[in-house]
Amino acid sequence: MTFSVHRFDPPSFRPHRWRRGGHLQTLLAPRSSLRADDWKRLQQQIHSRKHRLPVSGGDTLVLHDDEPETWQTNPRGSVLLLHGICGCHAADYMIRFSQRLLQIGIRTFRLDMRGCGESIELCRGITHAGRSEDVLASLQLIGQLTEDTSAPIGAIGTSLGGNQLLRAAGRVGAGLDDPPANWDRIGPLLAIAPPVDLQACSDHMESWTLRFYNRYFITQLLGRAKTTLQMREELGNLLDGPTPKTLRQFDRRITAPMAGFPDERAYYASSSANVVTQHISVPTMIVAAKDDPLVPVRSFTEIEARLPRPVRVLTMPTGGHHGFSQHDGTAWTDDLVAKLFNEAWP
């Protein structure tokens, strides 16, 4: 029987007593539920590799493949992990999700997107919300690497990676992109705090109350852009002039021209997942928080009514932007990830 995200009972969430509200939930990162000695023992049982994945534009991505020792006798399934706008394979949530999945015998593939982590010196392009073709290419490679055609393949996308994942599934469902050869093995998918409506998120980020987040993101993104622009002399003047003050200004001056869009509005319109989510045909869960300071919750309420049966939006009363710190300081999303895939692949 096909796994249903609507019949899935999520783990209970007891928010941290002192991390109240969306800002504290966002800014104070949860810790791993694994003790250091447990993680050390688990690492000794893992076979880790790196794979290079050529993609469009002459760029190359890096997939970090962690295989549990039980894989050879029981290939339970594999999960692709996609990071957010300032993340990479080594982001804390990427490590935590991988830890919990490896514990239950699931193989993980942590992706370094274009211009991120170990892909940074292998790419002339940058990652952005619309890079769903890179998600499909990664799933195609995972299918080839795992070989066992009975072993399912899932995916988890956090923030920007969540939008890319939903856009990939929606475009395949709509017939706009060809599915990977192993598409019948795909699912479930999990998108955590995805900015599905980029224009709405950009409008929201213009608020002066969010100036701290704008400064943080722009500082991180400018560092990456400078490295990439060193390989593209024809775009070297993009950094001339005053530093962008908001993400919208950064997208207008840097993201859009580097990614081939005429302006930021064209980038938002083309790259937002909300225009294709109604075509998703594989079991998919979208997790949002009502107090997310970066992604307005109305982004999800506006699409929920037209989502197909395989897709479920789970809106939590608190959690911030993929924070979800529990009473003991660990992340509720770690428990969600482990329970979701444990039940989907018994």
Side-chain angles (χ1 to χ4, degrees), residues 251-273:
D251 288 336
R252 180 181 303 145
R253 282 184 47 194
I254 309 295
T255 307
M258 286 191 71
F261 296 100
D263 55 39
E264 82 281 5
R265 288 187 173 274
Y267 161 54
Y268 298 153
S270 172
S271 302
S272 296

Side-chain angles (χ1 to χ4, degrees), residues 128-132 160 163-168 171 195-199 255 259 261 264-276:
H128 60 73
R131 293 286 194 193
S132 52
L160 191 81
N163 183 82
Q164 293 174 333
L165 179 60
L166 296 174
R167 187 176 186 270
R171 285 181 63 85
V196 293
D197 184 342
L198 295 170
Q199 185 65 61
T255 307
F261 296 100
E264 82 281 5
R265 288 187 173 274
Y267 161 54
Y268 298 153
S270 172
S271 302
S272 296
N274 65 343
V275 298
V276 291

Side-chain angles (χ1 to χ4, degrees), residues 38-189:
D38 291 335
W39 174 227
K40 186 175 294 185
R41 280 194 295 270
L42 184 58
Q43 283 180 305
Q44 294 171 351
Q45 303 167 4
I46 296 169
H47 186 193
S48 298
R49 312 175 190 81
K50 296 177 186 178
H51 309 283
R52 290 193 174 191
L53 173 61
V55 289
S56 63
D59 289 344
T60 298
L61 311 182
V62 177
L63 268 175
H64 299 258
D65 172 7
D66 294 310
E67 178 185 308
E69 65 175 2
T70 56
W71 178 264
Q72 295 303 321
T73 56
N74 180 27
R76 189 175 187 187
S78 303
V79 174
L80 170 66
L81 302 180
L82 305 166
H83 59 78
I85 188 171
C86 292
C88 69
H89 76 280
D92 58 350
Y93 53 91
M94 297 278 279
I95 298 293
R96 295 196 325 261
F97 294 164
S98 182
Q99 288 175 342
R100 294 297 297 272
L101 292 170
L102 288 164
Q103 265 192 315
I104 56 175
I106 292 175
R107 188 171 173 178
T108 64
F109 292 83
R110 290 170 291 137
L111 179 66
D112 274 329
M113 298 176 185
R114 300 190 195 217
C116 305
E118 295 184 18
S119 297
I120 195 165
E121 295 182 356
L122 305 173
C123 297
R124 286 168 51 85
I126 59 171
T127 193
H128 60 73
R131 293 286 194 193
S132 52
E133 75 273 19
D134 293 353
V135 176
L136 296 176
S138 299
L139 292 172
Q140 173 81 21
L141 178 60
I142 292 171
Q144 296 168 357
L145 292 169
T146 54
E147 296 178 352
D148 188 332
T149 57
S150 65
I153 301 170
I156 303 169
T158 301
S159 194
L160 191 81
N163 183 82
Q164 293 174 333
L165 179 60
L166 296 174
R167 187 176 186 270
R171 285 181 63 85
V172 167
L176 298 173
D177 287 333
D178 293 331
N182 53 341
W183 192 248
D184 60 333
R185 297 167 59 188
I186 302 300
L189 310 178

